[in-house]
Amino acid sequence: MRKGGITVFLTSMLLLFVTLVSACVEAVRFYAVGVEAECAVSMGLDSIFAEYHRGLLDRYDLFFIDSSYGAEQPSYHNTEAHLWDYIAANLSAADVPVRNGKDFLDMHLEGVSIVQAALATDACGRDVKYQAVSYMRERVGIGLIEEIQRQMDTVRGNGLDVRDVEQEAAEVQAQIDGTPLPEQQLEDGSFVTASVDNPADSVNGGRFRGILYLVAEQEELSEQAVNPDNYVSYRTLNRGTGAACGDAAFSVVDEVLFGEYLIEKCGDYRNPSADGALQYELEYILAGKSSDMENLRWVAGRLILLREAANVMYLYSDSTKVSEADVLAWSLAIVSLEPSLQPLIKHSILLAWAYAESVLDVRRLFSGEQVPLLKSRETWRLSLEHMLDYVTHLGEKDEAQDGLDYEDYLRLLLLLENEDTKTMRFMDVIEMNMRKLEGNESFRMDGCMDAVRAEVSVSGGFGEYFNLSAQYSYLNR
């Protein structure tokens, strides 16, 4: 009896022990399935971003995956298929075989879905700009940033970015034209209306007419062109779920850094892109026209407007030059028999003088010389006597002067440009150049992702089922 009792007791204890061990093993296995599933999903996301677009990173230091993978159209489904393959491979590698039995984990991938993705074009390219600014933070010194900010303070503080000298000239001319002139009797007794032989008329009459041919060397001009309708700024875009960087605002310093990034990565008239679809890429970002020639013409006109505002401001501050214009205006008003025109003629002469000087300034910039933002008596070039024939003085070289060069003025124009517009046009430039790479003929920035969130379903061979959600973002690399 005693021996039988001990046998029953030991059998019961062994049963309890085996049950406990089995429960522990099952708990460990269940936990292992969950952990391995999470690891497989995480490695899968890492793997799809390891397929980053090499061309974007090499040329622009931008980190995105292209969901078209060289096909004609980008699609979430393409990325889901890649993610499925990576997760499935990782799950298979996680299996722990049991000899003559079932896999210890026996995990199976049931479903993969990308439910959120931040596209490069979301929020007008906010992630592209964020990455560009982050890249430049370690490359640009505080001294350069402060100098550019001082230059912008000069531009805005003097109203050079908003003063419309062209409109002022048109209004002055309209007042001159609207002033009735007296009649003069000729020797034969007939009468004719007096005239104002204003030398400013010949200058004002040619404003912006053929301006590119005055300021640029024609044999050097690029004739490359594109169809803007094919690019980000003009076509209907795929939409993601918003920028990965969220609604973070860009500071003034960030705008300076982005401008420096554009100057580093894009060509311009003085430093044309050797292999770009357009050679003058910065000019395209500013103007958005279809050809290098049109973009350069727009920039030349914008530079003249900027220089006109600065030159007019200086002329009115120089009493000697104002006196010269005053004397000439009095002589013309007396000849026209209408002294009341004198103030208007004087203003007309000063505005035309400033325009002629501005054309010379832009010609110097296009030639690689420097022009100060604000003129002084020492840096003013054109005399009143030479205002009429200013075109003949365009090729003259001056002694080296301190000031800003063409690239410096482009910096200012970029800072004056609408933030979203220049980012969108920069993405146009990216598409133009990426499509020149083999296998990227249909490349689209609105198919490029830098953050995704995926939902994944994984089952175990013993009835376990896991719904996992995981995300990957450039910001958290």
Side-chain angles (χ1 to χ4, degrees), residues 346-407:
K346 181 182 74 171
H347 290 312
S348 176
I349 291 171
L350 289 170
L351 292 170
W353 196 357
Y355 174 77
E357 178 80 4
S358 301
V359 175
L360 269 65
D361 288 343
V362 176
R363 173 63 178 241
R364 289 175 61 194
L365 292 174
F366 275 53
S367 299
E369 299 178 60
Q370 295 181 331
V371 175
L373 264 178
L374 301 179
K375 287 292 184 74
S376 65
R377 184 167 298 182
E378 291 73 26
T379 57
W380 190 269
R381 298 178 65 204
L382 194 66
S383 67
L384 180 57
E385 179 185 358
H386 290 147
M387 181 182 71
L388 281 175
D389 61 344
Y390 73 93
V391 174
T392 64
H393 298 276
L394 290 175
E396 295 178 358
K397 296 288 184 180
D398 283 351
E399 295 181 3
Q401 294 182 0
D402 293 332
L404 308 184
D405 61 17
Y406 181 75
E407 190 174 87

Side-chain angles (χ1 to χ4, degrees), residues 120-182:
T121 51
D122 286 348
C124 294
R126 183 172 290 272
D127 280 356
V128 169
K129 186 174 181 178
Y130 183 92
Q131 290 194 33
V133 170
S134 300
Y135 166 78
M136 292 304 295
R137 282 201 178 102
E138 302 299 323
R139 301 173 65 85
V140 177
I142 189 65
L144 176 60
I145 294 174
E146 290 176 347
E147 177 60 28
I148 295 171
Q149 288 180 305
R150 281 194 292 269
Q151 293 167 5
M152 281 303 300
D153 289 343
T154 299
V155 170
R156 290 195 166 112
N158 291 285
L160 306 185
D161 57 326
V162 295
R163 184 170 182 178
D164 191 346
V165 179
E166 294 300 303
Q167 182 63 29
E168 292 177 31
E171 290 174 357
V172 169
Q173 189 59 48
Q175 292 180 64
I176 293 174
D177 294 339
T179 302
L181 297 176

Side-chain angles (χ1 to χ4, degrees), residues 62 120-133 232-233 250 254-255 258-259 261-262 284-286 414 417-431 445:
L62 297 176
T121 51
D122 286 348
C124 294
R126 183 172 290 272
D127 280 356
V128 169
K129 186 174 181 178
Y130 183 92
Q131 290 194 33
V133 170
V232 170
S233 296
F250 292 102
D254 291 336
E255 293 302 324
F258 187 55
Y261 173 85
L262 295 177
Y284 173 83
I285 291 171
L286 289 167
L414 286 169
E417 182 57 75
N418 177 271
E419 297 176 17
D420 291 340
T421 298
K422 63 187 175 187
T423 307
M424 296 293 283
R425 287 177 182 165
F426 171 58
M427 290 191 288
D428 292 348
V429 172
I430 293 176
E431 287 190 342
M445 285 297 287

Side-chain angles (χ1 to χ4, degrees), residues 66-87:
D66 177 11
S67 63
S68 74
Y69 299 94
E72 186 172 344
Q73 291 292 333
S75 171
Y76 284 10
H77 298 305
N78 297 332
T79 305
E80 287 173 348
H82 282 240
L83 184 58
W84 178 289
D85 291 341
Y86 286 122
I87 295 176

Side-chain angles (χ1 to χ4, degrees), residues 202-466:
S202 61
V203 176
N204 290 329
R207 282 176 178 266
F208 294 95
R209 193 173 299 164
I211 188 61
L212 199 55
Y213 294 92
L214 294 178
V215 300
E217 297 292 341
Q218 300 309 300
E219 62 272 13
E220 298 176 357
L221 294 181
S222 165
E223 297 182 355
Q224 290 178 212
V226 296
N227 180 2
D229 293 342
N230 296 329
Y231 303 111
V232 170
S233 296
Y234 294 88
R235 70 166 188 265
T236 302
L237 301 174
N238 295 322
R239 295 187 180 275
T241 54
C245 66
D247 297 326
F250 292 102
S251 67
V252 174
V253 171
D254 291 336
E255 293 302 324
V256 173
L257 290 174
F258 187 55
E260 291 305 297
Y261 173 85
L262 295 177
I263 289 172
E264 178 181 310
K265 300 299 183 183
C266 300
D268 59 59
Y269 172 71
R270 293 294 306 166
N271 299 284
S273 175
D275 58 351
L278 293 175
Q279 290 190 22
Y280 311 152
E281 294 166 339
L282 287 176
E283 286 83 354
Y284 173 83
I285 291 171
L286 289 167
K289 307 296 183 182
S290 61
S291 70
D292 279 332
M293 198 85 74
E294 290 177 286
N295 291 318
L296 190 60
R297 183 180 295 111
W298 186 94
V299 169
R302 187 68 182 87
L303 288 175
I304 286 180
L305 290 174
L306 192 65
R307 291 303 318 146
E308 269 194 290
N311 290 336
V312 165
M313 186 178 72
Y314 166 71
L315 274 179
Y316 280 92
S317 71
D318 188 319
S319 59
T320 301
K321 289 181 171 55
V322 171
S323 295
E324 291 181 50
D326 193 60
V327 171
L328 179 57
W330 268 119
S331 65
L332 295 172
I334 292 171
V335 170
S336 68
L337 304 179
E338 187 56 60
S340 64
L341 282 176
Q342 193 275 342
L344 293 174
I345 296 174
K346 181 182 74 171
H347 290 312
S348 176
I349 291 171
L350 289 170
L351 292 170
W353 196 357
Y355 174 77
E357 178 80 4
S358 301
V359 175
L360 269 65
D361 288 343
V362 176
R363 173 63 178 241
R364 289 175 61 194
L365 292 174
F366 275 53
S367 299
E369 299 178 60
Q370 295 181 331
V371 175
L373 264 178
L374 301 179
K375 287 292 184 74
S376 65
R377 184 167 298 182
E378 291 73 26
T379 57
W380 190 269
R381 298 178 65 204
L382 194 66
S383 67
L384 180 57
E385 179 185 358
H386 290 147
M387 181 182 71
L388 281 175
D389 61 344
Y390 73 93
V391 174
T392 64
H393 298 276
L394 290 175
E396 295 178 358
K397 296 288 184 180
D398 283 351
E399 295 181 3
Q401 294 182 0
D402 293 332
L404 308 184
D405 61 17
Y406 181 75
E407 190 174 87
D408 293 326
Y409 275 91
L410 289 184
R411 280 187 175 93
L412 299 179
L413 293 184
L414 286 169
L415 286 171
L416 293 172
E417 182 57 75
N418 177 271
E419 297 176 17
D420 291 340
T421 298
K422 63 187 175 187
T423 307
M424 296 293 283
R425 287 177 182 165
F426 171 58
M427 290 191 288
D428 292 348
V429 172
I430 293 176
E431 287 190 342
M432 293 174 196
N433 294 330
M434 289 301 100
R435 289 177 186 178
K436 297 183 70 175
L437 299 178
E438 184 178 355
N440 289 269
E441 292 77 10
S442 300
F443 177 85
R444 294 171 56 132
M445 285 297 287
D446 56 334
C448 293
M449 309 173 180
D450 68 340
V452 300
R453 186 170 74 85
E455 292 184 352
V456 180
S457 301
V458 176
S459 65
F462 296 87
E464 304 87 355
Y465 199 87
F466 297 88

